[in-house]
Amino acid sequence: AQSVTQPDIHITVSEGASLELRCNYSYGATPYLFWYVQSPGQGLQLLLKYFSGDTLVQGIKGFEAEFKRSQSSFNLRKPSVHWSDAAEYFCAVGYNAGGTSYGKLTFGQGTILTVHP
Amino acid sequence: DVKVTQSSRYLVKRTGEKVFLECVQDMDHENMFWYRQDPGLGLRLIYFSYDVKMKEKGDIPEGYSVSREKKERFSLILESASTNQTSMYLCASRIGGASSEQYFGPGTRLTVT
């Protein structure tokens, strides 16, 4: 069965510092991988996704993620964090359920990012 | 822009009440989803619908049912609310398959007392 693990529940960084959020997945086939962000009181917004091609993907707000098949990882990075990046971040793996085309997502537990001025 | 709206941001209900959570999307998406979000557990899929009147159970369907009579509207029903259903409920919609983006509503925070 597919699963997603985000090992860090809470990360604190200083504004301007670099950021890496970890995501490990378990899935038998080539996964569709997503990072979503949830700002306080908001729904989830897609940051970026990977489903084929270049393993380094660029997203919105200056984020990028690298797919590493050998490590079953899809870590999210940003070179310089802004105070407005404080939010909760979710990694997710997309798959087709039970041989159908009804694609579903399995989410990780989430990582809360706090940014200190 | 895709817009997914949910009928209430906050809802307080009593144990045993029947609760309806409504979700509407304005982009003609075939697929709609209901999740619940709990701290430390991420989002868990309750039900999803791939067409009008069609539904599939997700990972935690117990205690819930759904209705999709029109393409743009997907309702989550708690037949008899219980305190362990206190949670944040998120609706999402999507066009296409597993590689496509899901668009989320702002969520409904339900408290059952």
Side-chain angles (χ1 to χ4, degrees):
Chain A
Q2 66 292 331
S3 66
V4 179
T5 301
Q6 294 178 244
D8 304 305
I9 297 171
H10 197 165
I11 283 184
T12 300
V13 300
S14 298
E15 191 168 18
S18 63
L19 173 70
E20 182 169 30
L21 302 182
R22 296 183 291 164
C23 173
N24 293 100
Y25 68 90
S26 173
Y27 184 58
T30 299
Y32 305 119
L33 294 164
F34 303 79
W35 275 100
Y36 283 85
V37 61
Q38 185 180 34
S39 298
Q42 305 292 319
L44 275 68
Q45 180 185 20
L46 181 68
L47 283 176
L48 48 79
K49 68 178 183 180
Y50 168 82
F51 56 93
S52 67
D54 193 346
T55 55
L56 184 64
V57 294
Q58 302 296 321
I60 62 172
K61 305 185 182 187
F63 285 91
E64 66 178 26
E66 186 171 12
F67 170 57
K68 292 186 178 180
R69 185 187 300 275
S70 61
Q71 298 177 19
S72 298
S73 69
F74 189 55
N75 294 349
L76 183 71
R77 301 194 294 247
K78 187 169 184 177
S80 178
V81 170
H82 189 262
W83 63 267
S84 61
D85 293 324
E88 189 163 16
Y89 292 79
F90 293 94
C91 181
V93 59
Y95 64 99
N96 289 319
T100 72
S101 62
Y102 311 140
K104 296 164 67 174
L105 285 180
T106 293
F107 285 86
Q109 303 91 326
T111 298
I112 297 170
L113 175 65
T114 298
V115 181
H116 281 169
Chain B
D1 272 357
V2 176
K3 191 162 187 181
V4 179
T5 57
Q6 297 183 228
S7 50
S8 305
R9 293 300 300 271
Y10 300 93
L11 210 51
V12 180
K13 296 292 182 181
R14 294 191 181 277
T15 301
E17 278 193 86
K18 190 168 187 175
V19 181
F20 293 87
L21 303 182
E22 303 283 336
C23 175
V24 177
Q25 50 95 3
D26 66 356
M27 283 301 290
D28 204 36
H29 287 174
E30 292 95 358
N31 303 307
M32 296 188 74
F33 305 81
W34 275 108
Y35 296 91
R36 67 176 280 175
Q37 180 181 8
D38 300 288
L41 297 179
L43 279 73
R44 293 177 291 168
L45 182 64
I46 304 172
Y47 267 97
F48 68 102
S49 170
Y50 49 90
D51 204 347
V52 175
K53 297 189 185 297
M54 306 303 284
K55 62 185 179 185
E56 287 283 335
K57 292 181 180 179
D59 300 317
I60 52 164
E62 296 79 17
Y64 304 94
S65 61
V66 291
S67 172
R68 193 164 180 205
E69 297 296 319
K70 293 185 177 181
K71 191 173 186 179
E72 67 272 17
R73 189 179 298 270
F74 191 35
S75 302
L76 180 69
I77 303 157
L78 287 66
E79 295 289 343
S80 177
S82 64
T83 55
N84 62 13
Q85 294 178 308
T86 291
S87 186
M88 171 70 86
Y89 290 88
L90 292 168
C91 174
S93 73
R94 181 190 70 200
I95 193 164
S99 64
S100 302
E101 176 182 0
Q102 291 189 18
Y103 295 86
F104 285 82
T108 296
R109 184 165 295 282
L110 173 67
T111 301
V112 183
T113 62

